[in-house]
Amino acid sequence: MNVNQSAPPVPPFGQPQPVYPGYHQSSYGGQPGSTAPATPYGAYNGPVPGYQQTPPAGVSRAPSSSGAPPASIAQAPCGQGAYGQFGQGDVQNGPSSTVQMQRIPGSQPFGSAPLAPVVSQPTVLQPYGPPPTSAQVTAQLAGMQINSAVAPPVPPPSGLGYGTPSSLASASGSFPNSGLYGSYPQGQAPPLSQAQGHSGAQPPQRSAPPQASTFPPPASGVPRMPSMTGPPLPGQGFGGSSVSQPNHVSSPSPQALHPGTQMGGLPGAPPPMHSSQQPGYQLQQNGSFGPARGPQPNYGSPYPAAPTFGSQPGPPQALPPKRLDPDAIPSPQLNELPPQQKTRHRIDPDAIPSPIQVIEDDRNNRGSEPFVTGVRGQVPPLVTTNFLVKDQGNASPRYIRCTSYNIPCTSDMAKQAQVPLAAVIKPLARLPPEEALPYVVDHGESGPLRCNRCKAYMCPFMQFIEGGRRFQCCFCSCINDVPPQYFQHLDHTGRRVDAYDRPELSLGSYEFLATVDYCKNNKFPSPPAFIFMIDVSYNAIRSGLVRLLCEELKSLLDFLPREGRPEESAIRVGFVTYNKVLHFYNVKSSLAQPQMMVVSDVADMFVPLLDGFLVNVSESRAVITSLLDQIPEMFADTRETETVFAPVIQAGMEALKAAECAGKLFLFHTSLPIAEAPGKLKNRDDRKLINTDKEKTLFQPQTGAYQSLAKDCVAQGCCVDLFLFPNQYVDVATLSVVPQLTGGSVYKYTCFQVENDQERFLSDLRRDVQKVVGFDAVMRVRTSTGQSWLETSRWGDKSGWEASGTYHTFSPDPLHVASGIRAVDFFGAFYMSNTTDVELAGLDGDKTVTVEFKHDDRLNEENGALLQCALLYTSCAGQRRLRIHNLALNCCTQLADLYRNCETDTLINYMAKFAYRGVLNSPVKSVRDTLITQCAQILACYRKNCASPSSAGQLILPECMKLLPVYLNCVLKSDVLQPGAEVTTDDRAYVRQLVTSMDVAETNVFFYPRLLPLTKSPIESTTEPPAVRASEERLSNGDIYLLENGLNLFLWVGASVQQGVVQSLFNVSSFSQIPSGLSILPVLDNPLSKKVQGLIDSLRAQRPRYMKLIVVKQEDKLEILFKHFLVEDKSLNGGASYVDFLCHMHKEIRQLLS
């Protein structure tokens, strides 16, 4: 397919099609479409839930305070912080014990150096014409006036960077159960500081050439915020400045700046929004440049003010950048200077790239038009943009997103750029209601048409020859005969005349009905089963969990997933309860009462009954209801505190094996399994291992028993979903092994209380039970390499599975091997028994598999590169299906083309998963250093090979990657890689496995949370309020803000909010009467209350997990927790601010270039 070729007209497959012989239309899973609102792919831009945020040193926020009271950290209940205690919204009310927080002097590896303003520069297009230059946002540091106020002597700065994270010591020397609350003496407000916030960036460039960024200056005359005087806050680090601010620079005079390089120098002034009147350039659908291009609309002259992103820039214009002396920027390493001498230039936050601006520009430029997939190598809109997809031959970005849509032709070029080549694949992604589900094609007994050599499935890129009697495989170039029943004539262009009648010849995504050859033991599968396995130990009964769960299951069983429009689901259900022993229940429809059978020999697990254990819900309704009524009463007086775990999973798997079906186990578990049984665990929680070489053991399972158990589960198609309700350490790293390897999910509710956590638990349970799942699945990704020729065919060469479960191999002509890229690494929740097949006992619409590619040989620029993801699975109705996704990418010989077509969000998704897997085998510090080095190499290669010559004192970022530093800093500050004192070992293990399966939209908002001001937009407005940057500097104490990151939802209330607003939202008369830690807003009949409630419901509907609300009052003890999510600021556990990290990256890049 020619890169510049326009896509032929295609009939709208979004509407019901006439039924053509050979296939029929069906909806996957029988679901009428997503029940989410029409915009489930809404705004995302995310960070890491963690917990403590140091008020950054530097600018102080009015009102000024004289004398900072000591800060302290209160102890979280149950010893759980972060994700267990707060990460999912579990907040304990009532008094909390406090421990004095000592400030630990630490190193300051970077963060004090001034940085020349960032420039997003166009890549130099070497093949065609002169390189475009652009307005670069620069400032002459010479001549800037340094504030000469003398600071009082202060202790050495605490570490803010990427050395060892400083831990917080209590007065007694340790945090036995470190907490999150920070409390202040009665009547005293905590000192407030103004974060060095930042705004004013643009989006990762989509498919147009990068364009320089210019920022209108803030309004002149903005007064500087008053200083805060007094001793430093204990635990507060100084990023190169003392509290009285000797380091702020006056704004450079207008004469000092080039007309094209506007920069605001006054801190505190918000960036003006770009005028909506300024027109943008027409979007270029194809991400490459060719001489055969016709004139582009609106291509004549550039607009000087507002940058347009994802659109065509004007012709190159020569604006000479201001030259800076490379030595004019002092090094960030300033620890040897006394604090009062550590002066540096204040970087204008509005002159560095802003995620909010990038997201907003992409929405404005690309949100109104459908994304048509007919053109090869198109970069899709950002995940934060709501857009409609029209499938015209390439898979929707909802199914596949790539780190780059233009792949280097050679491995040498790829190594030089260091940009990872990866795809994040979500095979069963849920689609918005406006988009059609993949068509189901039935080829009858002959099955899907495939290449005889590489086994790739028929797709739009296959080339038919010899009048349609043969076709050439687009993956391995093998010539194949077309079966007589599939023959069709070709038109004058060489396309089959029925191409648009067949989804597999015209669409990027579709499904085939699989034949019996694709089934285990050459036998069609039975419908899957769900088994509910309930912990009935003392903790589970006492907390009210068992009673709550049994009540919910009575109604929830009516909503099991189903396909098509049957009256009832085909899924059968079974029930087990357990503590130290297991109780199986016979709920056969012919019984008057359920029967219990106890298995006490947990060392040799077996299923005591077959008939009556797995039943149809409607047939056994009365018996099931009776059982669910009796379970809480049966165990109401239990005193058994010990539990088993591995035997429970073993029992569920054996039950599915006896029933000869796949299925899912829903485990509800409360404590560390210490009873004598296989899989017994011990408490190994040891915080002293943090920042040592043995820290990796905290992420590794205690025993290999769970890995072998998971392997058996995958072979049976037994997926495990685990709901944890711990009051203390339960070793999540070990308990999550089986869910992780079987494609399941883990949910964690620390210190579960029915009154506080009921809504979140029940919401998660309902979504988990009702979502459509593919069972007993195998996925393979083929690339245009010809594949490795000894192909293991678990599903493959028409011989399928043997009864023994062994694999067939075949050996085609070894001389005909194609070259290109191949899949070499995989990330996600799955199991692999060989190097090519991703095996999943279960796969739902929220799970992704991330695949990394490497070069085998040189790629062809003209032909591009092809990916085909094939997923074989059993549907909820027991039907064996193949879901196919195809994607064509461009190939390039110029680095500029690579950098022009990257997607930063996908890049961060891959890098986070790479790092989170790395902590299993390497010290955390080396993992962090690896990330920083790779980022610096990526940006240094761009600077060296693509940017126009400029001073080394200037930081130049590619347009598509201008947000790479801020997002990478969020990953580095995450609790897995840099935990605060309050983050438990279980929290870190929980988040690590959670991120492994996240899609691009989830990691985006997880690492960089959305902060939405609620009272600034008109009350009558029905749209989401525009987000602001995640920095304390952006908070106004007269406003209310909603912060979300996919797991947490905070409502921050400023101390000066109008009384009417407080009354409308909380039904109290003043700010002081708002209860601290409130988790449910009162439902009130007024416009503001309805608007906020509607916004909260909308945000929750966009996320796969329920986000519990926590109300945080300004200057309240919970505010430290909230500030942890203001990721552009310096964090309490040593994480750098955005500005400081940008300085550090600049230094790293300069070192590489020199």
Side-chain angles (χ1 to χ4, degrees), residues 553-608:
L553 286 178
K554 291 179 193 174
S555 56
L556 187 55
L557 294 178
D558 290 328
F559 299 96
L560 299 177
R562 61 195 72 188
E563 278 194 335
R565 301 192 180 276
E567 292 184 5
E568 60 187 45
S569 173
I571 293 175
R572 294 170 293 166
V573 299
F575 301 89
V576 173
T577 56
Y578 68 94
N579 39 48
K580 273 171 53 173
V581 298
L582 276 75
H583 321 104
F584 293 79
Y585 296 93
N586 185 344
V587 285
K588 196 173 181 179
S589 58
S590 57
L591 296 174
Q593 286 293 322
Q595 297 174 348
M596 177 200 283
M597 297 187 181
V598 179
V599 177
S600 55
D601 184 7
V602 291
D604 185 17
M605 184 49 58
F606 67 96
V607 180

Side-chain angles (χ1 to χ4, degrees), residues 899-979:
Y899 282 100
R900 186 183 298 109
N901 291 280
C902 288
E903 194 184 58
T904 302
D905 293 326
T906 310
L907 201 56
I908 288 294
N909 180 283
Y910 164 82
M911 294 174 87
K913 291 174 181 177
F914 178 83
Y916 280 18
R917 187 179 67 180
V919 298
L920 290 173
N921 304 305
S922 305
V924 171
K925 184 181 185 307
S926 67
V927 172
R928 293 156 52 80
D929 291 343
T930 300
L931 285 182
I932 294 173
T933 301
Q934 183 173 19
C935 179
Q937 287 174 332
I938 290 171
L939 299 177
C941 175
Y942 173 82
R943 174 67 182 261
K944 180 178 179 181
N945 298 285
C946 306
S948 56
S950 60
S951 163
Q954 203 169 34
L955 175 59
I956 299 179
L957 302 174
E959 182 68 23
C960 283
M961 292 187 183
K962 64 166 75 173
L963 298 183
L964 186 60
V966 62
Y967 285 164
L968 183 68
N969 190 37
C970 294
V971 175
L972 293 167
K973 290 161 69 172
S974 67
D975 288 336
V976 173
L977 298 183
Q978 194 168 26

Side-chain angles (χ1 to χ4, degrees), residues 583-667:
H583 321 104
F584 293 79
Y585 296 93
N586 185 344
V587 285
K588 196 173 181 179
S589 58
S590 57
L591 296 174
Q593 286 293 322
Q595 297 174 348
M596 177 200 283
M597 297 187 181
V598 179
V599 177
S600 55
D601 184 7
V602 291
D604 185 17
M605 184 49 58
F606 67 96
V607 180
L609 76 162
L610 296 179
D611 188 32
F613 179 63
L614 294 177
V615 297
N616 180 284
V617 174
S618 59
E619 292 175 2
S620 300
R621 164 69 64 193
V623 191
I624 291 174
T625 302
S626 174
L627 171 66
L628 294 173
D629 284 336
Q630 291 178 37
I631 286 176
E633 306 306 327
M634 273 192 288
F635 300 98
D637 299 325
T638 186
R639 287 293 176 265
E640 183 58 72
T641 57
E642 293 186 354
T643 58
V644 296
F645 188 75
V648 183
I649 297 175
Q650 180 81 27
M653 183 192 67
E654 296 292 346
L656 294 177
K657 185 183 290 185
E660 296 184 346
C661 68
K664 181 183 278 195
L665 311 181
F666 295 86
L667 250 77

Side-chain angles (χ1 to χ4, degrees), residues 86-168:
F86 293 109
Q88 300 243 357
D90 303 334
V91 173
Q92 297 293 321
N93 295 327
S96 55
S97 59
T98 61
V99 277
Q100 181 69 28
M101 180 172 66
Q102 300 295 327
R103 197 169 152 284
I104 305 296
S107 62
Q108 185 180 13
F110 67 90
S112 305
L115 171 69
V118 184
V119 174
S120 295
Q121 179 166 348
T123 25
V124 177
L125 306 180
Q126 295 159 359
Y128 309 113
T133 59
S134 61
Q136 300 172 339
V137 183
T138 61
Q140 281 177 302
L141 301 181
M144 286 186 174
Q145 298 299 314
I146 306 299
N147 189 323
S148 58
V150 179
V154 294
S158 64
L160 61 84
Y162 290 95
T164 305
S166 58
S167 58
L168 303 173

Side-chain angles (χ1 to χ4, degrees), residues 761-800:
F761 164 57
L762 294 182
S763 177
D764 286 341
L765 178 62
R766 288 166 191 153
R767 292 190 197 191
D768 198 54
V769 170
Q770 295 175 34
K771 63 186 173 189
V772 175
V773 181
F775 293 96
D776 201 11
V778 191
M779 188 184 99
R780 176 171 297 181
V781 178
R782 291 179 171 83
T783 54
S784 48
T785 65
Q787 288 290 302
S788 53
W789 292 131
L790 195 65
E791 181 95 297
T792 58
S793 177
R794 179 171 182 174
W795 41 336
D797 59 319
K798 290 298 176 65
S799 47

